[in-house]
Amino acid sequence: RFFCDELLDDQEKKGTTAMKKLILPAFALMVLAQWAVPIKMIVDSESVLTSGTEYKFRTEPVDPSDPFRGKYVTLRFNAARFETDTTYKFANGEQVYALLSVDSAGFAQISNLYPYRPTDQDFNILKTRVSYASVYDGKQIVSLDFSFDRFYVEESKASETERVYWDAQRDSAQVAYAIVRIQDGQGIIEELMINDRPILEIVRELN
């Protein structure tokens, strides 16, 4: 019996050791997987900001009851609405691909909208989603949700940034727009501008 007990103890120890050998690599893989996604997002964002094509997206006023949420200013863009025919009917929430161009004033606009990704327009295609689509008088009006609709700021500068931005939106003589970098369908906001000056530069001068 003593021999059997020793044998069982030895088997339990071997089993525990084997389990530890399996658990530790599995835990390490889990940790790496959790970090891999945010690290890739950071790397991809830096690549877009460094190498992406620059566009200027003119902003327009949003609902004044909900423009600011502590650390970012909510933005809405003129280019986020597109009028097209009804050959293809877009659905709310559908992922789409917007072909970008520039108007006579130098601001981004959508020249076409696709339910699939065009293979020959990589440098000026923005991947986005349909917020709302409706048909009126034979035309289809499509509103889009751009992923770069928030401009983040330091909390200490939040209130002043909000005030400067809203003053500019209420004054028709001032032009507010976001500088956005586009690459591989992704858009990253680089700067929020008021009359060709970074808004944070204006805020610094006021303090």
Side-chain angles (χ1 to χ4, degrees), residues 11-184:
Q11 289 176 341
E12 287 179 359
K13 289 178 181 178
K14 288 181 178 179
T16 302
T17 302
M19 185 64 70
K20 288 180 179 178
K21 289 181 178 179
L22 289 173
I23 289 175
L24 289 175
F27 177 75
L29 286 173
M30 182 183 70
V31 172
L32 287 173
Q34 288 177 338
W35 279 101
V37 173
I39 289 174
K40 185 179 186 303
M41 290 175 64
I42 292 171
V43 171
D44 288 347
S45 296
E46 287 299 320
S47 175
V48 174
L49 288 172
T50 302
S51 307
T53 303
E54 180 182 298
Y55 285 92
K56 296 191 297 185
F57 284 79
R58 186 158 185 179
T59 64
E60 61 183 23
V62 297
D63 182 355
S65 66
D66 189 28
F68 188 76
R69 295 191 176 184
K71 292 185 179 179
Y72 61 84
V73 178
T74 302
L75 306 176
R76 188 167 69 182
F77 302 96
N78 293 359
R81 288 186 303 278
F82 182 67
E83 183 178 303
T84 184
D85 58 35
T86 57
T87 303
Y88 176 88
K89 290 187 177 180
F90 293 95
N92 297 349
E94 180 181 0
Q95 180 175 287
V96 292
Y97 297 86
L99 177 62
L100 300 176
S101 60
V102 178
D103 64 18
S104 58
F107 293 106
Q109 63 181 6
I110 296 174
S111 56
N112 213 337
L113 196 63
Y114 303 92
Y116 56 87
R117 180 168 188 155
T119 57
D120 59 343
Q121 299 285 348
D122 281 346
F123 67 96
N124 55 0
I125 282 289
L126 175 64
K127 182 169 69 174
T128 183
R129 286 193 180 276
V130 174
S131 172
Y132 181 76
S134 61
V135 176
Y136 177 75
D137 197 24
K139 291 289 185 178
Q140 188 174 191
I141 311 300
V142 185
S143 296
L144 302 169
D145 279 330
F146 290 165
S147 61
F148 45 83
D149 60 352
R150 298 175 179 180
F151 180 68
Y152 287 89
V153 295
E154 294 178 18
E155 201 160 0
S156 61
K157 301 175 183 177
S159 179
E160 195 69 19
T161 302
E162 177 190 17
R163 187 188 65 78
V164 170
Y165 178 69
W166 272 99
D167 285 348
Q169 293 289 60
R170 285 191 291 262
D171 185 352
S172 60
Q174 297 194 61
V175 178
Y177 62 91
I179 295 178
V180 179
R181 296 278 182 172
I182 305 291
Q183 179 178 276
D184 196 29

Side-chain angles (χ1 to χ4, degrees), residues 176-197:
Y177 62 91
I179 295 178
V180 179
R181 296 278 182 172
I182 305 291
Q183 179 178 276
D184 196 29
Q186 184 180 5
I188 302 290
I189 186 168
E190 184 175 34
E191 189 62 80
L192 181 60
M193 309 288 286
I194 306 293
N195 294 336
D196 297 327
R197 294 184 62 199

